[in-house]
Amino acid sequence: MIVLGLDGATLSVIEPWVESGRLPNFERLLDESVSGELESTVPEITVPAWPAFATGREPTDLDMYGFTHFNRETRENDLSHDEFVPGKMWDAVDDQDGSVVVFNIPGSYPWQAIDGTIIAAAPEYKDEYAHPPARWDELVDLVDGYKLRNDQPPGSREYVDESLDLVDKRFEAFEHFIDREDPELAVGLIRATDRVAHHYWGAESTPPAASDNELFEVYRRVDERLGEFLDAHADKDLIVMSDHGFEKVRSKFAPNVVLERAGLVSLTESGDATKAAMGTARDAASDLLGKAGLLTLARKLVPESALTGVPTGDALGLDNALSTGRIDWAETTALADVGQKTTLIYALADDPDEIDAICERAESALRDGAESEGLSVRFDRLDRGGPHTPDLAMVIETPEVHASSRFDVDDLRFEVDTSGHAREGIFLARGPSFRDGTIEGARITDIAPTVLHALGYRLPESMAGDVLDVFASGSDLATRDPESYDFVGDAAVTGDGVAGDEEKEGEVKDRLRELGYLE
């Protein structure tokens, strides 16, 4: 079984580009697969989506809600990059004496040692992540240098060229480890489909399938490599999926402004004015250096530790409000963190009745505010899984509208010109075990149970997802009930993440701002 992830891949561009004849191998895969949309997590962000994919567990179980997530207890934004995620599908395979290759998956580090190879996705600052360690040198030699991230300036031609090169190197490396080890399960990810979509979507709802369109360039390169991959593994079961989709974003909705007007959140008049002024200067300098392609050099010359605690820019989003001390905690009972189309509401209370009352006030205010702006929204009440778990989630169902954590806007809905995540990713399954046709209602938490069932392994009881109805009619896999057992995973074998390292934390946050994950 091979699982190939295409980060942020979306049918909103794949289908029209297939219909125009520009992506022949995606067309071939669609024709030969059972396929459909794959609903992401709440929120629809890389983290927690990939950990949920790997474990079959919801973010409420993982207590993980983004690259950063608000901590109700400390009232700070924590980085989740280096948090150990137990009970991943490959750990269950290894526990049942199977062999595995894991390549470039976010949330795979820190890991448990397995019988196989792990090349982990970076928490953005590391130079290498490999188990066993010798695999890293093997990888670097194989592809004549290997990078965990694209260091070129976003928006530049160099960024696109580097993205295309990384697509080639990731396909080549993933294929190498599959051939080298012939594992029972291989899980790998191509990330450029997400990164380039963040920076190069353009003005149209559906970018053109044109040679001068950077996003299409990347999808075309992926299509070429996908054709080779399909040929090389024609007799194997293959799942191609993404953690979320993508869409043009033309406006944003400001839930913190709604909560402030409803008396649920309160700001101080000034906060730390010195930090705010330094943040504005820092933002201006970063913008100039980025355009000149010198930002990476500047970071080497000026350590991030020298800027610890300094916010970035004038926009008063949640991260900056926390950094500059602008939230009046004595007068605040709820606040909003956001993840693309999802708003996460944290009630600052412990008594269940008080939490319910705060959530009712927040939901009522947000519903009225959204409806006044012509938005369709839905609400989910959540059970606390830890200090990062919100009490209420609001999902914007109106296309091309996202949420913003900003406090400093006059209108609840304001215009922007950007792009971002959509809730529906892609799911395609091809091979001797699978039927053809379509699948509806598939969720990202269903992938791990489906994979383990297909391989004939028992499922960890911690998995909340379901085995999908994707198997050939009348086959043993289609008729046999999945088996489960008590396995959730042990403590991480290795891990020296960013927590407590101010320089590394600052670098990670800067990269998240580049991608629009922080305001």
Side-chain angles (χ1 to χ4, degrees):
M1 168 72 75
I2 301 173
V3 181
L4 175 64
L6 302 177
D7 205 321
T10 180
L11 293 176
S12 64
V13 297
I14 292 173
E15 288 183 336
W17 290 348
V18 163
E19 290 172 5
S20 68
R22 304 302 300 275
L23 297 178
N25 293 302
F26 274 105
E27 181 175 12
R28 170 185 167 194
L29 182 59
L30 283 164
D31 289 343
E32 297 175 355
S33 301
V34 53
S35 64
E37 293 181 333
L38 186 68
E39 185 175 2
S40 187
T41 47
V42 174
E44 55 290 328
I45 297 180
T46 302
V47 175
W50 285 112
F53 149 83
T55 62
R57 301 169 68 193
E58 297 288 352
T60 47
D61 296 322
L62 300 170
D63 193 38
M64 185 176 290
Y65 282 87
F67 290 107
T68 69
H69 40 199
F70 179 70
N71 187 321
R72 182 187 290 101
E73 295 176 358
T74 64
R75 298 181 179 179
E76 296 177 351
N77 260 1
D78 294 340
L79 287 170
S80 64
H81 279 58
D82 56 330
E83 293 180 13
F84 175 60
V85 180
K88 295 179 283 288
M89 68 176 88
W90 46 86
D91 296 326
V93 170
D94 179 75
D95 187 59
Q96 297 172 73
D97 299 322
S99 58
V100 185
V101 165
V102 181
F103 184 81
N104 203 42
I105 303 296
S108 54
Y109 180 90
W111 53 62
Q112 290 177 222
I114 62 170
D115 178 14
T117 291
I118 299 176
I119 304 293
E124 296 298 338
Y125 70 92
K126 278 279 191 178
D127 291 327
E128 60 187 72
Y129 282 93
H131 167 77
R135 295 290 187 269
W136 183 260
D137 291 336
E138 180 181 339
L139 171 62
V140 171
D141 292 342
L142 171 72
V143 297
D144 189 25
Y146 186 80
K147 288 186 175 182
L148 291 167
R149 66 189 187 208
N150 188 334
D151 285 324
Q152 297 299 323
S156 67
R157 180 64 220 179
E158 290 78 12
Y159 190 93
V160 178
D161 290 339
E162 182 87 338
S163 297
L164 295 170
D165 185 54
L166 289 174
V167 168
D168 291 335
K169 289 183 175 181
R170 279 162 171 53
F171 265 107
E172 184 178 348
F174 188 38
E175 184 71 77
H176 166 78
F177 288 114
I178 293 174
D179 291 343
R180 182 188 189 281
E181 302 190 26
D182 191 26
E184 290 180 80
L185 173 64
V187 185
L189 174 64
I190 307 300
R191 301 196 73 183
T193 39
D194 174 272
R195 297 302 175 92
V196 173
H198 273 292
H199 298 297
Y200 298 87
W201 189 274
E204 300 182 38
S205 296
T206 302
S211 58
D212 61 349
N213 179 274
E214 294 88 353
L215 182 60
F216 175 69
E217 275 191 86
V218 169
Y219 269 87
R220 181 173 58 187
R221 181 66 59 85
V222 171
D223 185 80
E224 293 168 357
R225 301 309 300 252
L226 179 62
E228 299 170 5
F229 201 79
L230 293 174
D231 291 340
H233 304 288
D235 60 341
K236 293 180 180 173
D237 287 330
L238 170 67
I239 291 175
V240 177
M241 48 75 64
S242 66
D243 54 333
H244 53 75
F246 240 91
E247 66 180 2
K248 177 67 182 176
V249 181
R250 302 186 187 278
S251 64
K252 289 191 175 183
F253 179 71
N256 273 322
V257 175
V258 174
L259 298 181
E260 186 178 16
R261 293 178 182 178
L264 290 164
V265 62
S266 178
L267 298 180
T268 63
E269 288 296 324
S270 58
D272 192 327
T274 300
K275 280 188 177 181
M278 291 174 66
T280 299
R282 175 188 180 185
D283 189 60
S286 295
D287 184 57
L288 289 172
L289 289 168
K291 290 178 180 178
L294 299 174
L295 187 55
T296 299
L297 175 61
R299 285 177 178 148
K300 292 178 180 178
L301 296 175
V302 181
E304 189 66 32
S305 55
L307 299 173
T308 298
V310 177
T312 180
D314 294 316
L316 190 66
L318 177 62
D319 193 59
N320 273 1
L322 293 171
S323 297
T324 56
R326 289 292 309 277
I327 298 176
D328 183 351
W329 297 112
E331 299 297 328
T332 296
T333 56
L335 55 77
D337 199 356
V338 301
Q340 307 287 309
K341 298 188 78 71
T342 300
T343 296
L344 307 170
I345 308 301
Y346 291 83
L348 303 182
D350 294 317
D351 179 76
D353 291 337
E354 190 175 353
I355 293 170
D356 287 342
I358 292 170
C359 287
E360 287 177 7
R361 286 183 62 195
E363 180 174 341
S364 176
L366 288 166
R367 189 183 301 278
D368 290 346
E371 289 179 354
S372 72
E373 297 296 332
L375 301 181
S376 175
V377 297
R378 68 174 174 85
F379 291 87
D380 295 331
R381 284 296 303 271
L382 305 174
D383 295 326
R384 290 186 181 179
H388 303 118
T389 304
D391 299 287
L392 180 69
M394 181 185 78
V395 179
I396 298 174
E397 298 185 319
T398 304
E400 301 190 345
V401 183
H402 276 200
S404 168
S405 70
R406 288 180 65 175
F407 296 86
D408 59 338
V409 291
D410 295 327
D411 300 319
L412 296 184
R413 182 175 176 180
F414 56 96
E415 292 184 1
V416 296
D417 182 12
T418 185
S419 58
H421 300 178
R423 288 203 47 73
E424 295 77 24
I426 66 171
F427 174 87
L428 304 100
R430 187 200 79 157
S433 296
F434 299 115
R435 63 177 177 87
D436 56 14
T438 59
I439 178 84
E440 294 183 358
R443 302 169 300 155
I444 196 167
T445 50
D446 297 333
I447 302 296
T450 301
V451 167
L452 291 176
H453 182 68
L455 290 170
Y457 288 117
R458 293 173 295 166
L459 283 56
E461 291 177 350
S462 58
M463 289 187 172
D466 298 319
V467 174
L468 292 169
D469 177 21
V470 292
F471 299 108
S473 178
S475 68
D476 176 66
L477 291 174
T479 57
R480 176 169 49 84
D481 290 333
E483 298 181 28
S484 61
Y485 76 122
D486 183 17
F487 172 80
V488 294
D490 298 321
V493 169
T494 184
D496 58 345
V498 302
D501 188 320
E502 295 174 344
E503 182 175 347
K504 292 173 182 177
E505 287 182 357
E507 182 180 344
V508 170
K509 284 193 172 184
D510 273 355
R511 291 193 171 275
L512 295 177
R513 289 186 184 98
E514 286 179 357
L515 293 170
Y517 291 125
L518 281 179
E519 295 176 295

